Amino acid sequence: MNLATSFWTWFGAFLTFCIFSFLYKDNPFYKFAEHLFVGVSVGYSISISYHNVLYPDLIVPLFRNGELLNLVPLIFGLCYFTRFLPKVSWLVRLPMGLVLGFGAGAAIPAVIQASIIKQVQGAILTPDVFKRFDLTVWALISLIGVICTVTYFFFSRERGKVTKVMADLGIIFLMVGFGASFGYTVMARISLLIGRFQFLLRDWLGVIK
Amino acid sequence: MQRQIPLILCLIFGIFMIVQFFVPHPYSQRAYEVVLRWVRIISIFALVLGVGSLVLYHSNKIKRKVSGWGFSIVTLVSAIITTLVGLLGVNWLDGKLVFFKGIGKSSVLQIFFQNIFVPVNSTMFAMLAFYMASAAYRAFRARTKEATLLLIAAFFVMLGMVPIGSAISPRLPEFAEWILSVPNLAAKRGILFGIALGGIATSLKIILGIERGWLGGGK
Amino acid sequence: MRVFEALAKIDRKIIFLILAVVIIVPLIKPIGLISKASTRAKAVFDAVESIPPGKPLMISIDFDPGSMPELYPMLLAILRHAFARDVKVIVLGLWLTGMGLGEQALTTVASEYSKKYGVDYVFLGWRSGVLPVVLGMGEDIKKTFPTDYYGTPLESLAMMSNIRNYRDIPFFISLSAGDPGMNTWIAYAQARYGLKMGAGTTAVSAADAYPYLQTGQLTGLLGGMKGAAEYEFLVKERGYSKEISQATQAMDSQSLAHLLILILIVLGNIGYLFIRKQTKKLGGAR
């Protein structure tokens, strides 16, 4: 055993236990750690935003280099403050409109390219998959699965006999997919817990390397 | 005007981004780079909304002495201290505090991050493992054939994806990998198509001003 | 019969305790289960291995401490791999709250390999807006990041003199815990600019990456802590690092915890089936 000597490691361990104490029930220790975390994260976000964005991207170019075009994003950005001034609070919609329009416009071609064209290319049967029997079967199952899953999500018309069978098959694929995701989710949550125990046993208590 | 101008801005920038994708002319390219820069700078101010709301919420709690107002003091004081040490670039060097030295490894901001932010944030997520174990035991039941299928797939992925799976049988990881790369792939691709089509439709509605939820209430 | 009823009603605090024991004991007394590399992890490793020394590998920290145990060991292992091969490294992030982790990892690993800042590696830090960052870097990295994380102008860093945009990046890895992350890079950098990329994801989103792996949009995948352990295995096998591997160390606990969860599901279901049978019987008697 090689107990930590640093104050900060002890404080980290204390906060870890404060949060874990919620497993028993909500209590002041948990609340303290939670509120401290919120405060620190706000301060951290403001600091990084200032050092990584505001200072190098706005203050230096505008006030030191005199690049006046930067006044435009500054004015739009300042409109966010009007959110807290009831008389002119509508001005907050200006930067929101600009950013939303930009995001939506950028998303359309990107999504068509990455999630539709490429995925259709991946789903269709190319000569390569016919080179080996097992690959052919798996590719066929995948293709059927994709079509049936999409059919399941098609709610615009009442299902006929064929589309009902396809949608039912789609559910089977979806359930296997969700099962796979659940299996992986278990893995994720356990990993996070192991990580905390590694901190307590290694950094704080020093019983493992 | 209070609604029209934001909608027009949204339309202009939305159409510009679509057109620019297909027309990489030097002029459009230059305008594109300017727009990227503007949006990057404007986005940072959105932080104001979050920080402003949080400060208002906690200061109101303190003013009205609502139950738990003491914890609001913890939040505000820690936020002020962290902001100050961050903005002033306070560093812990050779056993003393020095100012304007940035946010590198010896900065107090980094010390706060590693010893307050990291333990609390990661423990909050780590706790989910306990609740998940309890929920898996209580709620994960083979009630229907669909649930049974989900359970079987989860069983093989859970076992096949960790070293003990291959220790039991080398076939287990292979089967888990098959589940992931054949039926799971088909389901996820189907969902991806749905999300993509939905995303495109929503984006178009936003650009054309059909979807106006973001404008909020009022005039 | 009471056994079955008891099985359906184990107190949750007992479950909490058993789970904690199942995780702690193998950390102290390891069983030594080996986590060999999957083809997905090998593909990421090979892509980093194929970067010529002197050329850059770019890594994006798209996670925060909430997913640290899964993705941070990946970051360490990939950095060790790159530095051992004299590959230059550019680190940035789309998650503001992940920046401290980037600083921590680079400081730790760079000192292990005596690497010099600005010559062997650069930490770009974070910029707001996500899309303008990912799209902007496709045009010009120095215009998107005029300065690095510490405020040093990129123009003054020797390593960045020959790097303009994605065309100069042979391989990129997004260590992603959600959105923005892997999906963002695939849609805006891979599809539009042809950036060759791999991903390290939390296990939660690993299953969602398979459509992208099949189309080749992703070269390879590290899924969760197991993916990190696989990468650590490859880095150690090639002799690139002798450091204690956090993810590998965790695999015994991970395996036993999975077994426990499976046992709990089985027990819960046995109890459930028994109670359902009893209820049906009682219903029939009435």
Side-chain angles (χ1 to χ4, degrees):
Chain A
M1 198 152 151
N2 193 7
L3 214 61
T5 49
S6 152
F7 160 77
W8 284 112
T9 310
W10 277 83
F11 192 58
F14 166 70
L15 291 174
T16 303
F17 285 115
C18 284
I19 298 293
F20 273 144
S21 69
F22 188 81
L23 288 168
Y24 179 65
K25 65 176 185 182
D26 198 1
N27 64 75
F29 287 103
Y30 174 81
K31 280 212 173 79
F32 166 75
E34 189 191 29
H35 282 76
L36 180 69
F37 166 73
V38 173
V40 169
S41 58
V42 166
Y44 186 78
S45 302
I46 293 172
S47 305
I48 298 288
S49 300
Y50 175 78
H51 286 288
N52 274 202
V53 188
L54 272 180
Y55 185 72
D57 288 2
L58 187 67
I59 295 173
V60 171
L62 186 61
F63 299 109
R64 268 204 204 153
N65 305 343
E67 295 168 19
L68 293 177
L69 205 59
N70 287 300
L71 274 172
V72 179
L74 174 65
I75 292 166
F76 271 100
L78 289 175
C79 286
Y80 275 116
F81 285 94
T82 64
R83 172 74 182 78
F84 304 103
L85 309 168
K87 278 190 182 167
V88 284
S89 66
W90 69 274
L91 285 171
V92 77
R93 294 172 184 159
L94 297 178
M96 283 172 78
L98 192 154
V99 172
L100 268 175
F102 167 86
I108 293 172
V111 170
I112 292 175
Q113 231 182 349
S115 300
I116 296 184
I117 297 176
K118 284 274 183 187
Q119 292 304 317
V120 170
Q121 282 174 349
I124 55 177
L125 303 173
T126 53
D128 281 349
V129 299
F130 292 104
K131 284 180 184 160
R132 252 174 56 193
F133 178 71
D134 57 337
L135 288 181
T136 315
V137 176
W138 305 150
L140 257 173
I141 294 176
S142 291
L143 179 63
I144 293 167
V146 172
I147 295 169
C148 293
T149 308
V150 173
T151 310
Y152 173 74
F153 285 115
F154 189 74
F155 300 112
S156 304
R157 275 185 70 178
E158 202 180 332
R159 283 181 190 142
K161 269 184 192 166
V162 179
T163 45
K164 191 179 177 308
V165 172
M166 285 170 76
D168 287 347
L169 205 58
I171 295 178
I172 292 177
F173 278 94
L174 280 169
M175 286 303 140
V176 175
F178 292 148
S181 290
F182 179 80
Y184 256 136
T185 305
V186 169
M187 184 168 160
R189 301 297 173 237
I190 299 291
S191 300
L192 300 182
L193 186 58
I194 296 172
R196 281 334 282 160
F197 283 134
Q198 276 179 320
F199 164 75
L200 290 174
L201 296 172
R202 185 188 56 222
D203 299 3
W204 180 50
L205 293 176
V207 290
I208 61 171
K209 276 184 183 171
Chain B
M1 190 183 81
Q2 296 181 3
R3 294 172 81 88
Q4 269 82 343
I5 296 175
L7 285 170
I8 291 168
L9 267 175
C10 184
L11 178 78
I12 293 172
F13 279 86
I15 289 179
F16 170 74
M17 285 307 289
I18 299 173
V19 171
Q20 196 284 327
F21 182 86
F22 297 103
V23 189
H25 186 274
Y27 284 137
S28 105
Q29 200 62 22
R30 219 171 296 156
Y32 175 58
E33 284 181 19
V34 170
V35 170
L36 289 178
R37 184 179 169 74
W38 284 5
V39 176
R40 225 175 51 230
I41 296 170
I42 294 168
S43 304
I44 198 68
F45 286 94
L47 189 71
V48 170
L49 295 180
V51 174
S53 305
L54 187 104
V55 171
L56 278 180
Y57 172 76
H58 285 288
S59 40
N60 278 339
K61 261 183 98 173
I62 296 167
K63 253 189 241 161
R64 291 178 192 161
K65 298 252 186 321
V66 177
S67 112
W69 63 276
F71 294 115
S72 293
I73 295 179
V74 173
T75 298
L76 290 184
V77 169
S78 57
I80 291 165
I81 293 174
T82 315
T83 306
L84 283 177
V85 297
L87 294 184
L88 298 176
V90 182
N91 274 240
W92 182 253
L93 285 169
D94 303 326
K96 54 183 177 188
L97 288 176
V98 282
F99 288 77
F100 305 109
K101 288 283 176 192
I103 50 172
K105 65 172 178 182
S106 56
S107 67
V108 176
L109 188 72
Q110 181 68 13
I111 294 171
F112 280 7
F113 176 82
Q114 282 178 219
N115 300 291
I116 298 173
F117 193 101
V118 170
V120 178
N121 193 202
S122 49
T123 312
M124 275 179 175
F125 281 90
M127 259 200 321
L128 295 175
F130 290 111
Y131 295 118
M132 189 213 52
S134 171
Y137 165 69
R138 273 161 212 282
F140 207 16
R141 302 278 152 88
R143 283 197 174 92
T144 59
K145 68 173 191 299
E146 285 86 5
T148 314
L149 212 56
L150 195 146
L151 222 150
I152 293 168
F155 181 90
F156 283 109
V157 170
M158 245 188 266
L159 212 52
M161 284 290 133
V162 283
I164 205 161
S166 50
I168 295 168
S169 161
R171 293 269 166 213
L172 266 172
E174 284 174 23
F175 185 59
E177 182 62 32
W178 179 85
I179 289 177
L180 286 159
S181 50
V182 181
N184 165 68
L185 177 138
K188 297 290 154 66
R189 184 166 280 156
I191 294 171
L192 205 59
F193 282 139
I195 294 173
L197 294 172
I200 292 167
T202 310
S203 297
L204 272 175
K205 281 163 83 177
I206 289 173
I207 293 171
L208 299 174
I210 300 165
E211 167 60 55
R212 297 176 180 200
W214 59 273
L215 288 169
K219 281 179 199 167
Chain C
M1 292 303 126
R2 276 189 193 155
V3 179
F4 292 119
E5 275 172 34
L7 283 180
K9 288 174 192 164
I10 302 175
D11 185 69
R12 73 176 190 163
K13 290 200 177 71
I14 294 175
I15 294 175
F16 291 175
L17 191 70
I18 299 171
L19 181 63
V21 171
V22 159
I23 288 175
I24 291 171
V25 172
L27 282 175
I28 298 168
K29 292 260 172 226
I31 312 165
L33 291 167
I34 296 166
S35 181
K36 281 187 181 162
S38 66
T39 49
R40 311 290 187 192
K42 184 88 176 23
V44 179
F45 182 87
D46 288 344
V48 177
E49 190 75 8
S50 68
I51 302 172
K55 291 280 176 192
L57 161 73
M58 192 164 85
I59 305 169
S60 183
I61 300 172
D62 306 330
F63 66 98
D64 66 0
S67 328
M68 192 179 173
E70 292 184 275
L71 300 173
Y72 190 71
M74 287 183 200
L75 178 60
L76 293 179
I78 295 166
L79 285 176
R80 284 179 179 132
H81 184 194
F83 284 154
R85 290 196 59 250
D86 288 326
V87 164
K88 311 275 180 192
V89 177
I90 300 172
V91 176
L92 72 145
L94 298 181
W95 286 38
L96 184 155
T97 44
M99 290 306 95
L101 298 176
E103 168 67 30
Q104 197 179 335
L106 282 167
T107 311
T108 311
V109 183
S111 67
E112 283 172 19
Y113 294 86
S114 311
K115 294 291 174 185
K116 219 175 151 214
Y117 187 77
V119 178
D120 302 305
Y121 70 100
V122 165
F123 186 27
L124 296 181
W126 177 83
R127 286 297 189 276
S128 54
V130 183
L131 295 193
V133 178
V134 177
L135 291 169
M137 287 175 78
E139 305 298 324
D140 195 331
I141 296 175
K142 290 188 197 89
K143 280 185 184 164
T144 312
F145 287 87
T147 57
D148 64 4
Y149 177 72
Y150 311 101
T152 317
L154 245 53
E155 298 282 359
S156 66
L157 299 174
M159 199 191 109
M160 295 305 289
S161 60
N162 295 322
I163 300 168
R164 182 159 183 254
N165 54 29
Y166 293 144
R167 275 197 288 274
D168 304 312
I169 310 285
F171 192 59
F172 163 75
I173 301 172
S174 163
L175 298 177
S176 160
D179 199 38
M182 176 188 75
N183 291 319
T184 318
W185 290 101
I186 290 173
Y188 298 94
Q190 200 284 324
R192 183 160 181 169
Y193 296 99
L195 179 67
K196 189 183 172 195
M197 66 176 284
T201 65
T202 51
V204 171
S205 42
D208 299 338
Y210 276 74
Y212 299 121
L213 283 167
Q214 193 255 348
T215 53
Q217 287 163 286
L218 280 181
T219 303
L221 173 77
L222 305 174
M225 206 186 219
K226 170 71 165 30
E230 290 172 0
Y231 206 95
E232 286 175 351
F233 171 81
L234 289 165
V235 169
K236 274 208 166 167
E237 192 186 47
R238 297 287 173 95
Y240 290 137
S241 171
K242 285 176 186 159
E243 291 300 314
I244 300 287
S245 313
Q246 285 176 34
T248 308
Q249 183 188 52
M251 279 303 110
D252 290 348
S253 303
Q254 185 89 48
S255 293
L256 293 188
H258 280 214
L259 272 185
L260 173 71
I261 304 278
L262 288 173
I263 292 168
L264 285 172
I265 293 174
V266 171
L267 288 181
N269 274 286
I270 291 174
Y272 163 73
L273 287 174
F274 172 76
I275 290 170
R276 195 168 72 166
K277 225 176 176 181
Q278 290 289 97
T279 321
K280 268 187 186 172
K281 259 188 197 172
L282 286 173
R286 267 176 216 153

